[in-house]
Amino acid sequence: GRYYSQRASALAGSPPATTAPAADPAITDEERAAANRWLATWAQDAASGVAPTPVEPGPDVRSGDLLVRLGKHEAALSEYREAVAAAETRPAHLYALAHYLHGKGEYWVSIQAASRLWELAPVRSPAELPSGVLKLLYPAPYWGLVQKASNAHNVDPLLLLALMRQESRFTPWVGSGAGALGLTQVMPATGEDIARSLGRSGFGRDDLFRPNVSIEFGAFYLARQLAALGGRPEFALAAYNGGAGNALRWMNRDRNIDPDLFVESIDFDETALYVRTV
């Protein structure tokens, strides 16, 4: 998989290049035009050499937009997913949907559409995608808040973005079956502990749905795991997802354990996939 190919490159002395996004990570008109030209070279549904952007919203998208205005976000997400599923074999339309939904801040389904587009594209890795597609696949919303929280708690902003992408697909209202909430999926009890540590009074469960709170609390909690576990992101991510006690067990309490051996030692399928993906 991609994780192992990236690890092999890193061990060979060629780690993948990572560049922090610009202050405004928006997709430019030039990037959109370049993506359309790229699609015209291989996508059969790119009519007349131009992909259909901006998309003409179909019934599922229109229903989703209406449900969002009514505050029914989960129902809207279901409608948007139906639109993506209907376009799953049409690359140019997938791009148009991804671009439209990205512009609406519906990153969960925008990423889903962009991911399907990547599966169809004649490329071997995301690095070969045009930047106008790559920004849909790996968006950087809330970048100002991410920078602020990362600087305050001394964590890599790209690591925090990657964690948010995996935890919530940048969806602030989402909650898990276990009760974790918000962009960084913090448990309410953990949020209360973080609020006390930061000297924040009046914290309530619903504050975790606020992006500024969730991002700061997630950065704080990630920084706590990094500090406790030797600064290694693999260890910290395993603790963030699977608990600090389990991370210590997988490490065999050895902070110098080989990171690949550590990852292979994780016996929670969800956590193993989480660490590799982030």
Side-chain angles (χ1 to χ4, degrees):
R2 280 181 287 154
Y3 170 79
Y4 293 103
S5 65
Q6 289 190 5
R7 285 296 300 144
S9 296
L11 292 171
S14 303
T18 56
T19 304
D24 180 7
I27 299 167
T28 67
D29 290 341
E30 291 80 6
E31 287 174 320
R32 187 171 60 193
N36 287 338
R37 291 193 298 271
W38 170 74
L39 283 161
T41 66
W42 66 274
Q44 293 182 350
D45 64 329
S48 303
V50 179
T53 53
V55 69
E56 180 65 30
D60 292 325
V61 173
R62 289 196 298 270
S63 295
D65 290 349
L66 176 60
L67 288 164
V68 167
R69 290 197 293 273
L70 294 173
K72 299 181 181 297
H73 296 288
E74 290 190 32
L77 186 61
S78 179
E79 293 293 331
Y80 291 140
R81 283 175 170 161
E82 289 293 332
V84 173
E88 68 172 351
T89 61
R90 295 181 288 160
H93 203 72
L94 283 167
Y95 175 72
L97 277 170
H99 194 278
Y100 179 83
L101 294 166
H102 176 97
K104 290 278 189 177
E106 298 292 340
Y107 300 107
W108 193 299
V109 275
S110 177
I111 291 170
Q112 182 183 356
S115 297
R116 177 57 182 160
L117 171 59
W118 172 36
E119 291 174 1
L120 297 173
V123 299
R124 291 173 297 177
S125 76
E128 298 175 50
L129 295 169
S131 61
V133 177
L134 198 58
K135 284 184 176 181
L136 295 172
L137 190 58
Y138 295 100
Y142 309 106
W143 177 236
L145 293 175
V146 168
Q147 280 185 309
K148 181 179 178 181
S150 297
N151 290 336
H153 300 292
N154 194 30
V155 298
D156 183 342
L158 296 181
L159 180 61
L160 182 57
L161 272 177
L163 179 147
M164 291 165 59
R165 185 183 188 276
Q166 182 64 13
E167 289 285 0
S168 66
R169 293 295 192 270
F170 305 109
T171 306
W173 53 263
V174 74
S176 75
L181 305 174
L183 289 167
T184 58
Q185 290 292 279
V186 173
M187 295 290 289
T190 302
E192 292 174 2
D193 177 58
I194 294 171
R196 284 192 295 269
S197 297
L198 294 173
R200 307 288 168 79
S201 61
F203 170 78
R205 170 186 176 277
D206 287 350
D207 288 333
L208 293 172
F209 293 123
R210 295 165 52 196
N212 62 320
V213 173
S214 184
I215 291 171
E216 182 179 18
F217 282 25
F220 177 92
Y221 193 67
L222 179 59
R224 177 185 284 178
Q225 306 313 314
L226 285 164
L229 299 171
R232 296 296 299 267
E234 299 92 348
F235 304 164
L237 291 169
Y240 196 104
N241 179 265
N246 286 313
L248 287 169
R249 175 170 63 85
W250 296 321
M251 293 164 61
N252 198 24
R253 299 188 179 275
D254 177 9
R255 286 172 171 76
N256 295 314
I257 188 174
D258 179 88
D260 297 301
L261 178 60
F262 168 77
V263 172
E264 294 302 318
S265 299
I266 299 174
D267 55 8
F268 292 176
D269 290 343
E270 176 189 327
T271 303
L273 178 62
Y274 179 90
V275 172
R276 293 186 181 103
T277 302
V278 177

